Amino acid sequence: MRDDELLTVADVMARLKVGRSTVYDLIRTRRLPSVAIGRCRRIPASAVGDFIAGQLERAA
């Protein structure tokens, strides 16, 4: 995974093992940064890694 890679919502769903509405909720609440390209949402791969790291820190 490259840090500058942009993921689709479906990619993030697969990586986090969650549903589409959960991913959009994370985007809406700004817990998962994203960029708009036309009508599409793209999430930087590094943002997904940061989100997971943050969740792990809270769980510890």
Side-chain angles (χ1 to χ4, degrees):
M1 170 175 59
R2 294 178 32 198
D3 287 339
D4 59 351
E5 181 181 12
L6 291 176
L7 305 174
T8 65
V9 170
D11 293 335
V12 176
M13 288 169 52
R15 290 185 187 203
L16 296 180
K17 309 285 193 273
V18 298
R20 179 177 304 274
S21 60
T22 301
V23 174
Y24 278 109
D25 186 53
L26 292 171
I27 291 169
R28 184 181 53 77
T29 59
R30 300 182 188 261
R31 291 172 30 207
L32 192 60
S34 69
V35 294
I37 301 175
R39 293 182 56 188
C40 301
R41 278 279 157 196
R42 295 295 181 260
I43 300 95
S46 58
V48 176
D50 293 344
F51 173 77
I52 293 169
Q55 293 300 108
L56 289 173
E57 283 179 21
R58 289 182 199 164

